[in-house]
Amino acid sequence: MRIAIATVAALAAAGPACAQDVKALAEARLRYEHVEQDGLPRDADAVTARVRAGVQVSESGWSALVEAQGNVALDDRYYDGLHGAATRPQVGDPENVALYRAQLQYRSAPLTVTAGRQRIALDDERFVGNAAIRQNAQTFDAVRAEVVPAKGLKLDLSYVWDVRTIWGVEGNGARQPGVGGDNVFANLSYATPVGTLTGFAYLVDQDEAAVQGFRLSSQSYGVRLAGAQSFGGGVKLAYQLSHARQSDYHRNPNDYSASYWLADAALELRGWKLGGGYEVLGADRGAALTSFQTPLGAVFKFQGWADKFTTTPPDGIRDLYASLGYGWKAIGPLKSVSLQAAYHRYESDRLVRHYGNEIDLLATGKLGKTAVSVRYADYRADLLLTDTRKLWLQLDWAL
């Protein structure tokens, strides 16, 4: 609330002097999500509508932004993670009305500083992200500085004192509306001829006893290379390599150490896109929450869309995956049309046991300012969890 008041005051102070630099913010999303999960007596059917609206005022490198969001369940036949009995599968989109962003920003050629409630998405969002797939998403109460001292070199440093979660204002228990702590995200990158080389240190302080008894607090240090090469004739190869080491941090009572590995490549050729990779979130001794955890990442982007591994299993996880897609500039009134299929094979890192397989399908297109998508995920369990099938129909509109 203090952030909102301060930002509104800044907007008022800007006043008519910068009326020509006032920008309205508006976006909306309508989604139907259907989930079938073995072991539960009923399916989930969630129809949710999310609206965000706000304003941004800018003047001479300074800007102030306030944005609110609301999510309503038009069909609430689902367990939202907070209310009622879990007799249906969970869909993590509880009804909510809240302040989404409230920030002040100064921007110049070498320096950008942002203070207040804001979105932070670092690299591929594996460690720090916005969780944009969820209707309430995730934001951070933080001060962030982005410094470019020389061409190709960038330092990105954030201090975060509160993580505003996807659970909204009615969050409770282990699913708090906000998780306080002294979080530090440090990211130093340099552009080389073969790609951007990044060293990072992420100190995650989940300083809430209700949130797994502090067991999600960790320190991760690593390096990442991400780049792309064009070969003519419409051929392009994109690739990324990443490694990190994680251990307990601050009040975490666990004493553990685990590794992270990623190798990923994608080849584009005349509308076709073929990709594949191998990701490992390692284990320590096989105890709960002693494997590599990423509680602040955009986890939906990784390890399949069925969302079976939002918390890394005690024995870790290895994900071997491949994807194939094709895109068109237009099909009738639809623009930027694409189809994509992906396959995942999951195993434990420790003891190498087969968890299960997953197939993901996606079709997207744009109709004016509205993005249309149909998504499907099918997880077939072997030695972990249960068979789960999900279907999404989604419309996204932005001003």
Side-chain angles (χ1 to χ4, degrees), residues 119-132:
R119 288 191 290 241
I120 301 178
L122 299 176
D123 296 323
D124 59 356
E125 299 189 74
R126 191 15 144 173
F127 296 91
V128 179
N130 182 229

Side-chain angles (χ1 to χ4, degrees), residues 47-337:
V47 179
T48 53
R50 197 272 316 282
V51 176
R52 291 183 185 144
V55 63
Q56 177 177 298
V57 178
S58 305
E59 174 70 14
S60 301
W62 290 89
S63 66
L65 180 154
V66 172
E67 186 177 24
Q69 71 174 4
N71 181 53
V72 61
L74 305 177
D75 186 344
D76 62 358
R77 290 176 295 164
Y78 67 100
Y79 174 54
D80 66 8
L82 301 176
H83 307 99
T87 57
R88 298 182 189 268
Q90 179 178 299
V91 177
D93 293 323
E95 291 191 307
N96 182 47
V97 176
L99 179 68
Y100 179 59
R101 288 190 292 167
Q103 66 183 50
L104 297 172
Q105 185 178 87
Y106 171 75
R107 181 184 294 273
S108 66
L111 173 67
T112 300
V113 177
T114 310
R117 185 161 299 172
Q118 57 190 281
R119 288 191 290 241
I120 301 178
L122 299 176
D123 296 323
D124 59 356
E125 299 189 74
R126 191 15 144 173
F127 296 91
V128 179
N130 182 229
I133 189 67
R134 298 271 54 103
Q135 296 288 50
N136 296 316
Q138 175 175 268
T139 53
F140 302 86
D141 290 351
V143 175
R144 180 184 184 187
E146 301 167 76
V147 186
V148 183
K151 183 179 180 181
L153 183 64
K154 181 180 179 180
L155 172 64
D156 194 324
L157 184 63
S158 300
Y159 168 68
V160 177
W161 59 88
D162 199 19
V163 179
R164 307 306 300 178
T165 74
I166 65 170
W167 304 111
V169 294
E170 294 186 7
N172 58 76
R175 295 170 177 147
Q176 294 285 307
V179 181
D182 296 316
N183 303 270
V184 177
F185 310 146
N187 190 301
L188 180 64
S189 62
Y190 181 69
T192 76
V194 295
T196 300
L197 182 63
T198 304
F200 55 84
Y202 300 135
L203 309 183
V204 175
D205 182 18
Q206 298 269 278
D207 199 19
E208 300 279 354
V211 182
Q212 302 292 353
F214 312 112
R215 288 174 174 83
L216 290 176
S217 294
S218 66
Q219 49 186 330
S220 302
Y221 305 93
V223 63
R224 179 174 185 267
L225 175 68
Q229 301 291 330
S230 297
F231 300 98
V235 179
K236 182 180 180 180
L237 176 66
Y239 45 85
Q240 52 180 325
L241 300 168
S242 185
H243 170 64
R245 191 72 179 168
Q246 183 180 95
S247 59
D248 50 284
Y249 178 66
H250 201 215
R251 299 171 69 179
N252 190 335
N254 285 332
D255 181 9
Y256 78 100
S257 182
S259 293
Y260 172 84
W261 298 91
L262 172 69
D264 179 276
L267 180 66
E268 295 183 36
L269 174 62
R270 299 186 180 92
W272 290 94
K273 187 172 183 179
L274 175 65
Y278 188 56
E279 185 185 44
V280 178
L281 279 74
D284 187 342
R285 60 185 181 276
L289 300 178
T290 62
S291 51
F292 202 106
Q293 304 292 330
T294 59
L296 304 186
V299 293
F300 184 83
K301 297 175 64 176
F302 304 88
Q303 297 171 347
W305 300 329
D307 260 357
K308 304 303 289 186
F309 303 102
T310 54
T311 299
T312 307
D315 287 327
I317 183 169
R318 300 177 182 178
D319 178 13
L320 178 65
Y321 58 90
S323 63
L324 178 65
Y326 189 79
W328 298 263
K329 291 184 178 179
I331 298 180
L334 285 174
K335 310 297 182 183
S336 303
V337 179

Side-chain angles (χ1 to χ4, degrees), residues 27-65:
E27 60 176 271
R29 174 190 286 168
L30 178 65
R31 179 163 68 210
Y32 167 66
E33 183 170 345
H34 173 79
V35 187
E36 302 171 11
Q37 182 173 320
D38 285 7
L40 292 177
R42 292 184 284 181
D43 298 341
D45 288 287
V47 179
T48 53
R50 197 272 316 282
V51 176
R52 291 183 185 144
V55 63
Q56 177 177 298
V57 178
S58 305
E59 174 70 14
S60 301
W62 290 89
S63 66
L65 180 154

